[in-house]
Amino acid sequence: MNCDENVVRLEVRNGFGIVTIDNPPVNAGSTAVRRGLLTCIVKASEMDLQGVVILGAGRSFVAGSDIKEFGAPLAAPELPQVIKAIEDCPHPVCAAIHGASLGGGFELALGCDLRVAAPSAVLGLPEVTLGLVPGAGGTQRLPRLVGVAEAISLVCSGQRVPAPEALTLGMVDALANSSAAEDLITAAQDAIRTASHKRKLRDLPVPSGDPKSTDAAASKALRRSKGRPNVAEAIALVKLSAQSPTDHALLKERAAFQTFRLEEEAFALRHLFFAERAAMRVDGLQAMPSEITHVGLVGGGTMGQGICRAMLAAGLPVTLVERDTETRDKAANVIAQALDASVAKGRLAADEAEQRKALLTPSAEMSDLATCDLVLEAVFEDMAVKKELFHTLDTILKSGAILATNTSYLDIDEIAAVTSRAEDVVGLHFFSPADIMKLLEVVRAKDTSDGALATALSLAKKLGKQPVVARVAEGFIGNRIYAAYRRHAEFLIEEGASPQDVDAAATDFGFAMGPFAVGDMSGLDIAWNMRKRQAATRDPSARYVEIPDKLCESGRFGRKTGGGWYDYDDGKPRSSEVVSAIINQARAAKGITPRAVSMQDIQDRLLGAILNEAALVLEEGVAQRAGDIDVTLVHGYGFPRWTGGPIWWASEQPAERIKTMMAAVAKAAGPGALTGTVQDMLAPLWAEREEIEKRKSGDA
Ligand code: COA
Ligand code: NAD
């Protein structure tokens, strides 16, 4: 029997009602699903049954409420009403979970009397990561299973808990043999027979826990979230479960959910949720990826080691080639030590570390790469070195193998041109540390084939990275925009701000670190070398700040030399008299009288610089879409996630402010500097915002 629009059906098997949710691809809990569930549960309640099993068709139980519906008034029935029907059902109801049971999908399961899960399932309440709090009982029913302190940790981190761990915590009652529907139904029927009666979680007592653990969990959650208001509210709601009658607490939770889902931050985070998924796609790309079963890496320095760890973690066999046996052994040792350190810290199981080590074959012979499906180089950032290497690889690699480069700035078309197979060449630009940072710029060079691009994207997914596709350009998307941001940060210093003023303005906006602290951390010599390389071709009329060159000339390369934009005598950044003197000299040499620059001016300039370069990157086709730029800056450059990224943030500002910001950027950059059409870039988002406002009020 189909209960609603074919997305939920009820059948009776062996005296049990089986309710199947079938809303591909991930069974998101849309209005139709809620309506279908309510109808089926009410019908099942009227039947003579031993119990009811709810399960999902396809690859998931329920991946969450339908996020697309969150920006508008929610249509009836809402999820709490569906859960009430389950609780009112006279038969025990068991959720049989496979794939994902997240957010509203886990709240639905918590509304059931029992939960069984496939061993590969994941469960959790990721609402806080979308700027929300759980809205259908998650904060009230979960503490009854796991205690208040654990519930605070789970709700406030949005952690996705694997089923075996969920069993240990008490989030599920039993594991099924597999995620096959028959196994799930059997496990659910067994659980119902064993329990034999209803067990509404809302009626269970909250286990009395140690108040110190609760306080510790709450402080940790607030610290990690940098005090986001929804996290503070989620903590209060979980605590309420032990203090207030359930009905009252559920109403408070629902009211908080309804408020947060229409806040600016929630719209921004939903924008990112969909932008992250869109960024994995290339419009019109039809090619199927080829399988990568063996990867080659050339260069085992900072990046090579991190990339190697990422590949091993994904279960990929890696042959890592270094220049000679000494550098080969050094790289292999550092990688092994990093794995041992993870074991010592309890982050990795010892047998898993051994398995990863066994996947690595260190080598000093290029010919060992002959059978690899993909070879990625992370050797020195030097065009001649990369060209020579690609020429060699071209003679060694099997036909159809992909040649990838991790270059940060170099022209991949020029590198590809030395091979006889430019169609197999692609950029894979990882960020440091490569095993931690999620962003991976996949660079589509002039001749890159669709197949190579599809394979690179599929590898990114396998590595758990967030890919963004870029075209060849100096610095691709991220480094190019970041260079403009850093350039304007330096202009601001020349005009009168101090490095501390600029860094404070950046962190006040929400950046993880300011541009000068970042420069000192990664080393000022890298950008210095690049500037020296570009010196001959630089437009002599373009504004150029000499201060960073002067710092490098005096040996101040950043933290590693004990000083850069700051002094680090005691390891902490302190303002430096040497730097102040260099800045004053530079201003005097150009006849600049320093002016007071406010925090607002600094923020507007830095963000304006990002927007201007973003518009150019879009106009030139280096990035496919505005959302890709938001994803790049958030995942690779510490741009605050809760703003939705720079372009989404800008679309929230009044047009007049953006105009003033762009005028300030153009004035500071001087005549001849490229100006992007920021207004054109923002126009579709301004239109989307008008729609949002209409939907919020239910007018659309
Ligand atoms: N609401 C609406 N759409 C959703 C969704 C949700 N809760 N969860 C996933 N989708 C959509 C995605 O946008 C994507 O659509 P697209 O193909 O048009 O891009 C599609 O479902 C597949 O999702 P994707 O993330 O690409 O698949 P995956 O197999 O890599 O991951 C999940 C599956 C379930 C792990 C992942 O989608 C996920 O984490 N979903 C969100 C869970 C969540 O936050 N739920 C809480 C909501 S209260
Ligand atoms: P690195 O100097 O730490 O490592 C380079 C390694 O390559 C060295 O171990 C060296 O021995 C090896 N090598 C050099 N030539 C070789 C050859 N012909 N054959 C085999 N091995 C060779 O440099 P890195 O920081 O790891 O950077 C590597 C690449 O990654 C560069 O192109 C860089 O621009 C890019 N990159 C670096 C970062 C970063 O933050 N460091 C970030 C993204 C991309």
Side-chain angles (χ1 to χ4, degrees):
M1 183 191 101
N2 292 329
C3 290
D4 201 278
E5 299 171 28
N6 296 328
V7 294
V8 187
R9 50 182 183 269
L10 167 67
E11 60 195 303
V12 177
R13 279 197 229 168
N14 307 325
F16 286 86
I18 311 291
V19 176
T20 306
I21 303 164
D22 193 358
N23 182 28
V26 292
N27 290 331
S30 61
T31 304
V33 166
R34 296 194 300 274
R35 213 185 289 146
L37 270 171
L38 185 61
T39 313
C40 287
I41 298 293
V42 169
K43 286 239 157 54
S45 299
E46 291 159 1
M47 295 175 173
D48 182 15
L49 298 168
Q50 284 189 59
V52 177
V53 180
I54 303 179
L55 78 161
R59 61 194 225 218
S60 254
F61 176 68
V62 173
S65 299
D66 191 337
I67 298 171
K68 290 190 213 80
E69 292 184 358
F70 281 174
L74 294 175
E78 296 189 24
L79 187 53
Q81 201 183 331
V82 176
I83 291 173
K84 182 166 185 323
I86 293 172
E87 289 182 330
D88 289 347
C89 174
H91 321 300
V93 182
C94 181
I97 297 163
H98 77 296
S101 169
L102 299 170
F106 185 45
E107 291 180 304
L108 175 69
L110 289 170
C112 297
D113 302 278
L114 297 154
R115 285 146 297 284
V116 297
S120 56
V122 288
L123 304 87
L125 294 170
E127 285 87 342
V128 290
T129 62
L130 290 167
L132 312 170
V133 294
T139 64
Q140 302 308 305
R141 293 186 180 91
L142 184 60
R144 293 178 152 79
L145 289 178
V146 302
V148 173
E150 189 65 54
I152 288 175
S153 303
L154 290 170
V155 170
C156 295
S157 65
Q159 193 191 329
R160 292 158 188 231
V161 185
E165 194 183 328
L167 179 67
T168 311
L169 286 172
M171 293 162 72
V172 298
D173 301 288
L175 294 187
N177 285 338
S178 78
S179 54
E182 285 317 312
D183 282 342
L184 288 166
I185 292 171
T186 303
Q189 290 172 340
D190 288 348
I192 289 172
R193 282 194 201 97
T194 310
S196 77
H197 58 80
K198 297 229 20 119
R199 183 176 175 258
K200 289 187 232 176
L201 293 193
R202 52 168 295 143
D203 294 340
L204 298 184
V206 176
S208 57
D210 176 6
K212 280 200 198 118
S213 317
T214 303
D215 289 347
S219 324
K220 187 169 166 195
L222 285 173
R223 205 172 50 246
R224 288 216 165 151
S225 71
K226 296 193 178 160
R228 303 320 302 155
N230 63 320
V231 172
E233 180 68 26
I235 293 169
L237 287 166
V238 174
K239 284 184 179 169
L240 202 63
S241 66
Q243 298 159 354
S244 225
T246 312
D247 277 339
H248 169 76
L250 285 172
L251 285 176
K252 285 207 80 135
E253 182 205 58
R254 190 71 186 165
F257 165 79
Q258 297 287 25
T259 305
F260 279 113
R261 81 181 168 84
L262 296 177
E263 294 283 340
E264 196 52 56
E265 202 161 307
F267 279 98
L269 290 165
R270 284 196 287 275
H271 156 72
L272 270 183
F273 178 88
F274 291 111
E276 283 162 356
R277 279 151 184 86
M280 296 184 183
R281 281 194 288 266
V282 175
D283 297 334
L285 184 72
Q286 301 285 345
M288 293 303 287
S290 8
E291 209 186 335
I292 303 289
T293 54
H294 186 178
V295 174
L297 268 178
V298 187
T302 312
M303 291 308 287
Q305 289 165 16
I307 296 168
C308 187
R309 288 197 297 272
M311 302 271 186
L312 299 178
L316 281 167
V318 177
T319 298
L320 171 63
V321 178
E322 254 292 345
R323 280 183 293 177
D324 47 45
T325 50
E326 196 183 323
T327 46
R328 172 200 68 189
D329 294 345
K330 192 173 155 211
N333 284 338
V334 177
I335 292 166
Q337 281 161 11
L339 288 168
D340 291 339
S342 298
V343 174
K345 285 180 197 152
R347 291 191 191 141
L348 188 66
D351 58 343
E352 172 64 26
E354 291 311 311
Q355 277 169 26
R356 290 188 195 178
K357 283 182 198 169
L359 289 172
L360 175 61
T361 311
S363 163
E365 299 296 331
M366 286 295 167
S367 54
D368 287 345
L369 299 170
T371 55
C372 292
D373 306 304
L374 178 145
V375 173
L376 169 65
E377 69 76 19
V379 301
F380 303 131
E381 184 76 346
D382 180 309
M383 183 56 99
V385 174
K386 304 246 190 217
K387 276 184 171 174
E388 194 189 330
L389 175 63
F390 266 63
H391 178 69
T392 309
L393 290 174
D394 189 27
T395 61
I396 291 172
L397 299 193
K398 67 180 182 187
S399 158
I402 292 183
L403 287 80
T405 169
N406 183 46
T407 180
S408 309
Y409 290 97
L410 299 176
D411 182 341
I412 300 179
D413 292 328
E414 199 180 328
I415 299 174
V418 304
T419 71
S420 62
R421 37 171 137 183
E423 67 279 9
D424 295 330
V425 176
V426 67
L428 286 178
H429 181 222
F430 287 80
F431 289 71
S432 183
D435 52 337
I436 308 279
M437 295 289 284
K438 278 215 52 117
L439 184 64
L440 176 56
E441 277 179 308
V442 174
V443 188
R444 184 182 200 178
K446 180 164 61 77
D447 295 317
T448 305
S449 69
D450 284 1
L453 183 61
T455 305
L457 285 167
S458 121
L459 176 67
K461 183 146 193 176
K462 183 157 192 169
L463 296 177
K465 298 292 176 197
Q466 170 64 61
V468 171
V469 178
R471 284 285 189 181
V472 173
E474 174 93 21
F476 313 118
I477 300 174
N479 279 350
R480 175 166 164 186
I481 293 175
Y482 194 80
Y485 162 83
R486 200 176 49 209
R487 220 166 30 242
H488 277 266
E490 290 164 3
F491 293 163
L492 285 160
I493 299 289
E494 215 175 49
E495 290 162 31
S498 68
Q500 292 88 326
D501 292 339
V502 175
D503 280 355
T507 49
D508 175 77
F509 179 76
F511 274 97
M513 286 169 89
F516 296 113
V518 169
D520 277 359
M521 198 179 69
S522 42
L524 303 182
D525 48 326
I526 301 169
W528 188 37
N529 288 336
M530 194 177 67
R531 289 195 298 276
K532 284 194 281 193
R533 208 176 58 232
Q534 293 169 337
T537 52
R538 192 167 34 242
D539 173 2
S541 65
R543 183 173 173 185
Y544 186 79
V545 178
E546 280 88 6
I547 300 165
D549 293 348
K550 300 268 183 257
L551 294 180
C552 290
E553 283 161 20
S554 62
R556 300 182 67 95
F557 289 169
R559 273 182 185 269
K560 62 186 170 192
T561 55
W565 289 97
Y566 299 98
D567 284 342
Y568 294 92
D569 298 336
D570 58 355
K572 293 206 177 80
R574 310 253 179 232
S575 72
S576 162
E577 291 192 3
V578 179
V579 174
S580 301
I582 291 175
I583 292 173
N584 287 336
Q585 274 167 18
R587 287 175 185 152
K590 286 193 182 171
I592 296 171
T593 309
R595 66 181 175 89
V597 194
S598 70
M599 184 176 268
Q600 174 83 63
D601 281 352
I602 296 173
Q603 289 176 344
D604 279 8
R605 180 78 70 74
L606 295 177
L607 290 156
I610 290 174
L611 293 175
N612 185 55
E613 205 64 27
L616 290 168
V617 158
L618 273 176
E619 279 162 42
E620 293 168 20
V622 177
Q624 294 185 90
R625 39 183 106 77
D628 290 6
I629 295 176
D630 285 336
V631 171
T632 303
L633 273 281
V634 165
H635 284 288
Y637 297 84
F639 199 94
R641 189 176 171 81
W642 62 85
T643 62
I647 304 177
W648 184 264
W649 171 85
S651 74
E652 193 196 330
Q653 310 306 315
E656 211 40 50
R657 178 174 181 198
I658 298 293
K659 213 167 135 194
T660 313
M661 283 166 65
M662 299 330 299
V665 167
K667 186 168 168 230
L674 289 177
T675 308
T677 47
V678 172
Q679 313 280 333
D680 287 359
M681 174 175 76
L682 293 177
L685 286 177
W686 276 325
E688 191 180 330
R689 284 190 167 273
E690 269 181 40
E691 280 304 306
I692 284 176
E693 288 309 318
K694 279 193 212 155
R695 278 204 303 273
K696 261 192 205 176
S697 56
D699 289 349

